[in-house]
Amino acid sequence: MEMGVVQRVREGFISGKTKPLAFRQRQLECLLKLVEENEDALSEVLHKDLHKSKFEALVTEVNIIRNETVYALHNLNDWMRSEYVKKEMLSKMDECFVQREAFGVVLIIGAWNYPLHVTLIPLVGAIAAGNCVVLKPSDLSTATSELVSTLIPQYLDQDCYGVVCGGAKETSELLKNNFDYIFYTGGSTVGKLVMQAAAEHLTPITLELGGKNPCFVDQNCDLYTAARRIAWGRFLNAGQTCIAPDFVLCTDTVCKELVKALQDAVRDFFGEDPQKSPDYGRIINECHFARLERLLSKGTVAVGGRCDAEDKYIAPTVLLAEEQDPAMQEEIFGPILPIITVPDLEYAVKYINRGQKPLALYAFTKDRQVMNTLLRETSSGTFCGNDCVMQTSLITLPFGGVGKSGMGTYHGRYSFETFSHKRACMVRSAGLDQVNIIRYPPYSQQKLDWVLWATRKKRYSNCTIQ
């Protein structure tokens, strides 16, 4: 089946039908129609897979996909225009520009935690850039994957866009194909396997991974507001969010007040018993539940901590932890928030830099110098000051990791750029060949002097090397 889908989509690309602006716009309109006409069905499958409330389903998935599609439709004509570049003396008479062209057949491998968001938003960029696409939704979010595989052929051109469902075996078989680009969202373990498979064909790749996202809480901040924003970011989708704050760094004094504020925030959000709240999610499956339960084996539970295996429920939990505890050894990807106490900002920066570069870094402070220190002395895929997760809501900002948290970016125009090859183009005059005599053999000192005079860059800086 996989070979059939890939071959069909490959033939669709070879036909050239995805190149015209009108075709791309028409397919984006169809994707927009898919989202708008199936809003309730999409919300229902997200609830079935992850117990997502309709609010979370629409705000964090469906509406974002809609907005990305509308944004692409509004801007695609401009994005597709050739970009003319600055010329030099020897190219003054030439036409010099960058042409953005489709890579070809793209494989998009989605994840289960936001199964619509991380599958269909890259699809928007791939369609806009003129690619044909094979979608591989996650097998863990079964209901959502089945609906996507049903809807895509109903709305999009079947010659150019296909869906392959299944688990690890099907993904492995799919990766044996020679794709022109691969876009993967998920964990680093599978990410390495995807990268190895891509290397076999020298296929360019984007990896959207994750990591342990630090959140520094300064003593000079509004702890009430900080706690509410941290609790929202951490416990959104039951903590199964790659850009959620993974742990908090703060001083011992701040910790005591922050724990109380977090406890109040959890109660305000989900009531006295979050398990009864219609707004609180569940863990995706038993395997992930067992992993998260093991992470609670060390540390002091300050808030929550209750687990119900039958319901795949883990309460919103705040854990007073040590650096060597299990919860600090891996990305948590669940509703557990460890707090590590540090003596000061300097130690916090050193702690952050000892770890792998995270997908996101958060800081809560009213002191701009503290904010600037974290921006200047750390590295992360994204950064947000005085809030969590919200940096991904702005369509004009790129989203992506750095180092072990991923490579490549998307959202808005960045999606279009990711799925486009930047082709360097120069169109020269067929005449005026007398001008080119100086570069033709036989060479002479005079020709060399002329070429160097015409091509050497002038230095405008007064800087000198000491």
Side-chain angles (χ1 to χ4, degrees):
M1 177 185 176
E2 291 82 2
M3 284 298 295
V5 173
V6 176
Q7 183 61 34
R8 184 184 77 236
V9 169
R10 173 71 64 188
E11 291 171 359
F13 182 74
I14 292 171
S15 74
K17 68 192 301 183
T18 64
K19 288 186 178 181
L21 169 65
F23 177 86
R24 303 183 196 187
Q25 289 175 326
R26 188 160 59 251
Q27 295 305 304
L28 288 171
E29 291 281 6
C30 289
L31 183 58
L32 183 62
K33 190 177 179 183
L34 182 158
V35 172
E36 292 181 338
E37 290 184 351
N38 296 279
E39 190 176 279
D40 289 341
L42 294 169
S43 298
E44 286 170 11
V45 292
L46 289 170
H47 185 270
K48 186 174 182 179
D49 284 330
L50 290 150
H51 201 264
K52 283 193 184 186
S53 65
K54 187 171 184 178
F55 183 95
E56 282 192 19
L58 295 182
V59 171
T60 67
E61 301 222 44
V62 177
N63 192 55
I64 292 180
I65 297 163
R66 181 196 172 277
N67 289 346
E68 288 274 352
T69 310
V70 169
Y71 187 77
L73 280 165
H74 286 171
N75 292 281
L76 185 54
N77 191 35
D78 289 336
W79 293 349
M80 288 178 64
R81 286 197 181 104
S82 296
E83 177 189 349
Y84 287 84
V85 299
K86 187 176 180 180
K87 295 183 284 189
E88 298 177 345
M89 182 178 290
L90 294 182
S91 56
K92 287 292 184 185
M93 305 297 292
D94 306 326
E95 190 180 359
C96 305
F97 57 94
V98 177
Q99 181 187 63
R100 285 164 175 80
E101 61 180 22
F103 279 105
V105 177
V106 170
L107 171 63
I108 296 174
I109 304 176
W112 54 262
N113 59 328
Y114 288 85
L116 294 174
H117 182 127
V118 301
T119 304
L120 299 187
I121 290 180
L123 178 62
V124 172
I127 292 173
N131 297 278
C132 288
V133 183
V134 175
L135 287 176
K136 172 58 184 69
S138 173
D139 61 311
L140 298 186
S141 48
T142 311
T144 306
S145 297
E146 288 176 356
L147 183 60
V148 168
S149 67
T150 300
L151 294 178
I152 290 293
Q154 292 179 12
Y155 286 85
L156 299 186
D157 189 313
Q158 293 187 45
D159 292 337
C160 300
Y161 312 102
V163 183
V164 174
C165 292
K169 180 182 177 182
E170 288 76 12
T171 303
S172 297
E173 288 299 313
L174 199 53
L175 286 167
K176 292 177 182 177
N177 291 278
N178 185 6
F179 289 98
D180 299 298
Y181 200 95
I182 297 175
F183 190 105
Y184 167 79
T185 302
S188 58
T189 300
V190 177
K192 291 176 183 177
L193 298 176
V194 172
M195 196 168 186
Q196 287 174 3
E200 286 294 316
H201 301 287
L202 297 180
T203 301
I205 187 169
T206 290
L207 296 176
E208 295 295 343
L209 307 176
K212 294 191 73 64
N213 305 318
C215 178
F216 178 74
V217 180
D218 187 35
Q219 60 186 6
N220 185 11
C221 79
D222 181 342
L223 281 177
Y224 171 81
T225 299
R228 292 174 71 84
R229 294 180 181 183
I230 293 169
W232 177 78
R234 172 71 276 185
F235 303 126
L236 182 72
N237 195 29
Q240 298 163 121
T241 305
C242 62
I243 54 166
D246 195 84
F247 63 95
V248 169
L249 296 171
C250 64
T251 64
D252 188 61
T253 303
V254 170
C255 178
K256 292 181 175 66
E257 296 180 50
L258 181 61
V259 167
K260 176 64 169 63
L262 285 167
Q263 187 175 38
D264 292 343
V266 169
R267 185 172 57 249
D268 289 347
F269 292 170
F270 307 114
E272 293 295 339
D273 184 0
Q275 191 169 7
K276 296 178 181 177
S277 171
D279 300 323
Y280 188 67
R282 295 297 185 269
I283 307 307
I284 185 68
N285 60 23
E286 292 80 4
C287 179
H288 282 276
F289 178 89
R291 179 186 64 82
L292 290 166
E293 199 171 29
R294 286 195 298 272
L295 297 184
L296 293 172
S297 62
K298 289 285 182 68
T300 303
V301 173
V303 178
R306 195 166 73 81
C307 302
D308 182 342
E310 187 176 345
D311 192 26
K312 291 178 289 194
Y313 165 81
I314 295 179
T317 299
V318 177
L319 189 69
L320 304 181
E322 301 291 338
E323 294 181 25
Q324 68 275 12
D325 288 349
M328 295 305 297
Q329 306 311 309
E330 62 182 80
E331 182 181 7
I332 292 171
F333 223 66
I336 301 168
L337 181 67
I339 298 179
I340 300 289
T341 56
V342 295
D344 51 32
L345 173 63
E346 182 181 0
Y347 187 93
V349 169
K350 289 179 179 177
Y351 184 90
I352 292 167
N353 289 336
R354 283 204 305 270
Q356 299 293 342
K357 294 179 180 180
L359 183 57
L361 193 152
Y362 301 107
F364 286 83
T365 181
K366 294 178 181 178
D367 189 335
R368 187 65 202 211
Q369 285 189 326
V370 171
M371 195 80 73
N372 288 341
T373 296
L374 285 162
L375 279 166
R376 184 178 62 250
E377 298 185 14
T378 65
S379 177
S380 60
T382 66
F383 178 92
C384 188
N386 294 316
D387 212 331
C388 295
V389 180
M390 293 302 294
Q391 74 274 22
T392 65
S393 67
L394 185 59
I395 205 166
T396 49
L397 281 176
F399 176 74
V402 59
K404 294 293 180 66
S405 61
M407 60 183 73
T409 59
Y410 72 122
H411 287 188
R413 172 148 195 174
Y414 297 95
S415 297
F416 175 82
E417 296 291 346
T418 286
F419 291 107
S420 299
H421 166 61
K422 287 77 176 174
R423 188 183 194 184
C425 303
M426 177 184 282
V427 180
R428 308 208 72 196
S429 169
L432 300 173
D433 203 46
Q434 282 296 109
V435 177
N436 292 293
I437 287 176
I438 60 172
R439 67 182 170 98
Y440 296 153
Y443 301 130
S444 67
Q445 184 61 45
Q446 185 180 40
K447 286 184 177 181
L448 177 62
D449 291 342
W450 274 106
V451 169
L452 294 179
W453 174 82
T455 59
R456 255 184 190 157
K457 290 286 186 185
K458 294 180 174 59
R459 294 183 60 180
Y460 298 104
S461 172
N462 293 323
C463 295
T464 56
I465 299 174
Q466 298 294 321

